[in-house]
Every structure is written in structure tokens, then in C-alpha cells.
Amino acid sequence: YVNGLFQLLRRRRSGCWIQGQYHGIFGYADDNVLLAPTANALQLMIDTCVEYCDNHNLKFSTHPDPKKSKTKCLAFLTKHRELPKLSLGQDKLPWVNNVKHLGNTIENVLNGQKKDISIKRARYIDKNNELLQEFYFAHPDTLVKINMIYNSHFTGSVLWNLFCKESKMVENAWNVSIRKTFDIPRQTHRYLIQPLSEVPHLKTILIRKFLSFIGQLEKCPKKIVGNLLRLIKHDVNSTTGANLRQISTLCNKNNINDLNTNDADMVEYHPIPEDELWRVNIIRDIIDARQNNTVIEGFSIDELDGYMDFVCTS
């Protein structure tokens, strides 16, 4: 029911144009985003929206309190400056530094998903602790599966810089959660994390999700989506282009166009040396003894815990 608004904005030529294609409005049903190169152009687009809504008995949600206003403005500036107040009809619109969109926090800064990454890292840690407390009686293998099902979706990660400091911190949080799940020392070697959990490491999961997302964009019938993807794929100054370049390097591929979803399996997180594989079997035997699934003759639980620390960290 807002398709006519898209057509009207395009006819009036307000908003962003890239290589002759209109990129001034993106949206789905009542969830729409306007993109303009200047504040004046944005005001013209808002005026068009007001006109369209008046003619079709529609209304945008606003509120004097920026936290309660569903209609907000972000400015992506190279340096800070005072911005003019924009009006939606009789209502002034707030300028904000970040907004939530479909559960993702978008900031008006370069690589603006850092806040989103930090928020979802904290959420992951809290949820993992909840699951460990609720299912304290379960075997660690079961706990890992529960965590994979209920706490490993990381919605919006396809927009992250997967190789920035904040993403590394998410990977570290994953490592800590696996160590807590198996009740092994915090100093346990990183190369033991994936063999013990017997699930793909979070780094592999996020890369797979990202490559799957790129594949979906490539198949998208919308011309502007394909046009944007072509522009940023080979631009390492963009988050998408930088991710693709880093992933292709990890996969030993010279051309990012050769990447596909299955290549994520080639990205191992700290592969375990072959001469260290013995540690995994010993750790698993001790874990089974703790769970009363097996008996290791001649050792008390305290002695096994001491041996566990040695095997995990030495």
C-alpha cells in the first residue's frame, strides 16, 4: 500500500541516485528508510511522504521524546556539525546517533555495527549463563546443542565486520562459554575448543551466515540490490568488501567471486596439531567420569580434576 510512495519519490527525483538508479527509499510495508545526500533533500522527501499520507489516510508515528518517536533521523558525517531541524508535518523530528531496526542497532559512524556486536555479545553471555543454570543436570554435549539451538543465531551478524576487535571479543565469549559448559579451566588451549564441542566454531558459523547472505543478494531480482552489491564487493573500504577479501585470503582464493557458502568449512579456528589429539580423548573420559557415565579405576574425582587442569593447559 506504499508502493505509490516509492513511485512518487522516484518521479520527483528526491534522494540518492547511484549510477542512474534510484536508491532514495528502501522498505517493506510500513517499515521504510529514506536516503538523501543532504538535509534539504531529505526534507523534500519527508514533505512528499506527508503529502502521500494525507491523500491515503496514513500517518507516521512521531513523539517529542526521541526515545518514543518511531520516526528518526541519522546523519552520516565526516565531522560533527550542527544540523537543521527537520519537520514531519507539524512535528519536529529528532536527530539520533543510533536506531534499532529489526533487532539490529545501526549507528551513524563508520563500521557502525560495533555497538550492535557489543550488545549481542552481552546478550549471548547472559543467555548462556541462564541455560547452564536451568539445565545444570544435563551432559555438556547436550548443553552445547541447547546453546546452538537457543543462543547462537546472532541475528544481523551478516552486517558486521567479522574481523574487527569487537567480533574477536564475541569469538572469545564463545570460547569461554564452551569452557564453562565442559567445566574446564579458563586457560584451556584454544585449539581444544572445537574438537571438544564437536560443533563448528562461532567464527565458522558467522562466515557461513555471511556467505549465505551474499549468495541470497546475488540471486535477488531487485536491480538496486544487485547494483549495490556490485559496487561494494570489490571495495575493501566497505564492510562487505573487507569481509569478502579477508575470507578469500583465509580460503586461499584469489577471486572473491569464487567464494560460496561451503567455503566457510575451510576456515578452521586454531586447528589442533595432530600430536595434541590425545588430549581430547582424555578430557572426554574425565568428563564422562564426572557425569558418572564411566569409572576410571584408581583415581578420585579430585585427582581427575587436577589431571584435567594439566591436560587442558600444559
Side-chain angles (χ1 to χ4, degrees):
Y1 59 87
V2 293
N3 190 51
L5 176 60
F6 282 58
Q7 296 171 348
L8 181 60
L9 286 167
R10 186 182 297 110
R11 284 200 303 271
R12 293 186 175 180
R13 303 189 67 81
S14 299
C16 290
W17 289 77
I18 301 175
Q19 293 186 343
Q21 290 189 340
Y22 185 63
H23 293 71
I25 182 169
F26 289 83
Y28 181 80
D30 63 345
D31 192 357
N32 300 290
V33 178
L34 302 178
L35 297 177
T38 66
N40 289 337
L42 183 57
Q43 183 62 69
L44 289 174
M45 296 179 76
I46 294 172
D47 292 342
T48 298
C49 291
V50 172
E51 176 189 331
Y52 183 85
C53 287
D54 289 344
N55 292 334
H56 293 80
N57 198 27
L58 300 173
K59 188 176 181 180
F60 287 103
S61 174
T62 60
H63 195 281
D65 183 351
K67 293 182 179 179
K68 296 181 180 179
S69 177
K70 293 185 178 180
T71 307
K72 304 178 182 181
C73 302
L74 281 84
F76 297 84
L77 306 173
T78 54
K79 60 181 180 180
H80 178 74
R81 69 174 185 270
E82 196 67 29
L83 295 167
K85 288 288 185 180
L86 301 184
S87 300
L88 180 66
Q90 301 300 315
D91 301 318
K92 297 294 183 183
L93 295 178
W95 288 100
V96 295
N97 294 322
N98 60 76
V99 294
K100 283 190 176 180
H101 181 257
L102 301 178
N104 305 310
T105 301
I106 300 175
E107 289 186 278
N108 59 344
V109 294
L110 184 65
N111 193 12
Q113 295 303 96
K114 289 184 177 181
K115 184 178 180 70
D116 189 62
I117 298 172
S118 298
I119 290 172
K120 287 172 181 171
R121 172 179 173 269
R123 193 178 299 164
Y124 171 81
I125 293 171
D126 288 345
K127 185 65 174 179
N128 181 253
N129 290 335
E130 277 183 33
L131 293 173
L132 292 179
Q133 290 175 12
E134 185 173 353
F135 298 96
Y136 64 91
F137 52 85
H139 190 282
D141 289 342
T142 303
L143 290 171
V144 169
K145 291 179 182 178
I146 291 172
N147 191 57
M148 288 288 290
I149 294 170
Y150 293 105
N151 194 32
S152 302
H153 40 277
F154 290 100
T155 305
S157 64
V158 294
L159 305 178
W160 297 355
N161 178 343
L162 298 179
F163 300 90
C164 68
K165 181 183 72 174
E166 288 74 17
S167 291
K168 299 287 185 184
M169 291 173 67
V170 177
E171 293 174 10
N172 291 336
W174 171 274
N175 293 343
V176 171
S177 71
I178 296 297
R179 291 180 178 116
K180 291 178 69 174
T181 299
F182 285 92
D183 192 18
I184 55 179
R186 289 285 292 265
Q187 295 77 27
T188 297
H189 296 298
R190 285 179 294 181
Y191 59 67
L192 292 171
I193 299 298
Q194 188 166 336
L196 276 177
S197 65
E198 295 185 337
V199 296
H201 191 274
L202 180 63
K203 184 173 185 177
T204 303
I205 294 172
L206 295 182
I207 289 176
R208 174 177 284 277
K209 286 168 66 73
F210 175 78
L211 291 177
S212 175
F213 176 66
I214 295 299
Q216 292 172 23
L217 293 181
E218 289 174 338
K219 296 175 184 177
C220 180
K222 299 288 186 181
K223 289 183 179 180
I224 59 174
V225 173
N227 187 45
L228 282 176
L229 183 60
R230 283 190 297 274
L231 286 172
I232 63 177
K233 275 182 71 173
H234 300 279
D235 182 4
V236 294
N237 290 316
S238 72
T239 298
T240 300
N243 280 342
L244 287 170
R245 178 54 57 197
Q246 291 270 22
I247 294 169
S248 64
T249 300
L250 290 175
C251 297
N252 295 317
K253 292 195 172 183
N254 296 323
N255 191 339
I256 61 174
N257 292 321
D258 295 334
L259 288 171
N260 60 69
T261 306
N262 294 329
D263 288 327
D265 297 329
M266 299 171 59
V267 181
E268 290 189 75
Y269 181 84
H270 289 276
I272 184 170
E274 288 190 14
D275 58 352
E276 300 292 339
L277 286 170
W278 60 273
R279 297 178 186 267
V280 178
N281 293 329
I282 293 176
I283 294 170
R284 285 204 153 272
D285 286 343
I286 297 175
I287 290 171
D288 285 338
R290 286 174 173 174
Q291 298 287 319
N292 296 318
N293 292 336
T294 189
V295 176
I296 301 178
E297 298 290 346
F299 290 92
S300 66
I301 292 297
D302 288 342
E303 289 173 331
L304 288 175
D305 286 344
Y307 195 41
M308 173 78 87
D309 289 353
F310 172 78
V311 174
C312 290
T313 62
S314 65

